[in-house]
Amino acid sequence: MKVFVINLEKYVARKNHALAQCQNIGLSAEIFNAIDGRSLSPQQIADKTHPELSAGLTESEIGCALSHLGVYQRIIKDNIDVALILEDDVQFDHYSSNVISYLKEHIPQQPTVYLLSEVRKYMRGGKNIPHSEHELVSVSQAALAHAYIINLAAAKKMHAFMHPVWLEADRWTFLIECGVVNIKAVIPAVGHLSKLSHESTIWHCEAELERKKIVREQRRIAVSKIRKNRAMNIKLKNALWRIFIRPFFEVKQS
């Protein structure tokens, strides 16, 4: 299985951390040079994003999304059947190796993503992963994109759906709602965030923190527009799911 670590070239300590994490569980990883959205010109950002639906995304979030899309493009170009995509603040535990080994051998042909990170909500009644205390469950709500397995079919679907950039790289819940890919997660998680994640590379300075509230309001308005523009059959499907399925099968992750 191909392993990609997304890393901004200037963050050497984060790169070394992620490579060590992979080495500790027997994985050989390739560094994928991330795109620093803060270094892009206004014209470059305009060329790479949706003119309306990307409103409220920061330059760093755009760079993050472009970096993940770049990995998908590489998977498609090289015809890679299955890949593990990591960000450089990932932290594995001692269960990770066995779980990842199992998942890479049991990913279906249809577009599928396996989240190794914690998720917000998932469905009861998952599939037990052999020789572990973990389950593979269907996801209802999730964010975070620092550790996930993706197959070639999913990379194709997600690249087509998310390019040019109009969604955050980890907008998993919306991808689920739109039925773009099948998203499952490992419970309990085996791909955690390290202490390095506390040093945000998105809200990285006081000036950006000050504009966070304004930007998030812009994003809320854009996401509302995105949801409003969904096809009627998708809206109906999600309404029926919320009414008849979620109250009985959904649980929050502890």
Side-chain angles (χ1 to χ4, degrees), residues 132-187:
S132 76
E133 297 181 356
H134 295 76
E135 286 184 307
L136 190 61
V137 300
S138 295
V139 177
S140 171
Q141 292 184 17
L144 302 177
H146 61 277
Y148 61 98
I149 294 172
I150 185 172
N151 64 8
L152 176 60
K156 291 178 178 179
K157 291 283 293 269
M158 290 176 63
H159 188 275
F161 187 75
M162 300 171 71
H163 185 270
V165 171
W166 58 291
L167 288 176
E168 297 87 340
D170 62 351
R171 185 67 76 161
W172 303 114
T173 302
F174 187 76
L175 294 174
I176 295 166
E177 291 176 359
C178 292
V180 178
V181 292
N182 183 30
I183 300 180
K184 295 185 177 292
V186 176
I187 304 297

Side-chain angles (χ1 to χ4, degrees), residues 199-241:
E199 303 170 7
S200 174
T201 58
I202 293 180
W203 302 108
H204 71 292
C205 65
E206 187 175 346
E208 283 202 357
L209 288 171
E210 288 178 356
R211 56 188 275 253
K212 181 174 183 179
K213 184 177 181 180
I214 296 173
V215 169
R216 285 312 185 210
E217 177 60 18
Q218 292 175 335
R219 192 61 190 151
R220 186 193 66 78
I221 294 171
V223 170
S224 177
K225 183 183 295 185
I226 289 170
R227 292 187 181 281
K228 185 177 180 180
N229 290 341
R230 288 177 300 172
M232 184 56 66
N233 64 317
I234 292 175
K235 292 180 181 179
L236 180 60
K237 177 182 176 182
N238 283 283
L240 293 173
W241 187 86

Side-chain angles (χ1 to χ4, degrees), residues 2-39:
K2 189 72 176 179
V3 182
F4 294 100
V5 172
I6 298 173
N7 165 259
L8 282 172
E9 190 173 3
K10 63 183 178 181
Y11 292 124
V12 178
R14 295 172 75 106
K15 177 186 71 175
N16 292 337
H17 164 82
L19 290 176
Q21 288 295 306
C22 291
Q23 186 176 23
N24 289 343
I25 61 171
L27 295 175
S28 177
E30 176 183 330
I31 296 298
F32 187 91
N33 290 326
I35 296 173
D36 188 348
R38 292 162 294 187
S39 69

